[in-house]
Amino acid sequence: MSDLQTLPCPTCGEDTDFEQPTCVDGHTADGSACPDWACTDCGTALVIGWSATPRTEIGHRAA
């Protein structure tokens, strides 16, 4: 775990400490910050910020 910050936890119902786990999803490969955070009390995961992820667009044709 790296960073630590106090955030409102929706599961605990109060402000608790959240840790930022080591990123295993490649968010930090380009120097960006990982958006994943985990509550140190209950383990609830939060995604904070914006993370660009490639999407495949599906087109539909009218019949």
Side-chain angles (χ1 to χ4, degrees):
M1 300 283 177
S2 57
D3 289 335
L4 185 71
Q5 67 176 321
T6 302
L7 298 166
C9 178
T11 304
C12 295
E14 61 187 22
D15 289 348
T16 59
D17 288 335
F18 277 75
E19 290 182 311
Q20 191 170 45
T22 303
C23 185
V24 296
D25 297 321
H27 297 124
T28 58
D30 64 354
S32 300
C34 183
D36 302 334
W37 292 85
C39 177
T40 58
D41 289 341
C42 71
T44 293
L46 296 179
V47 176
I48 300 173
W50 181 81
S51 177
T53 53
R55 289 180 45 164
T56 302
E57 295 296 324
I58 299 173
H60 296 281
R61 290 182 15 194

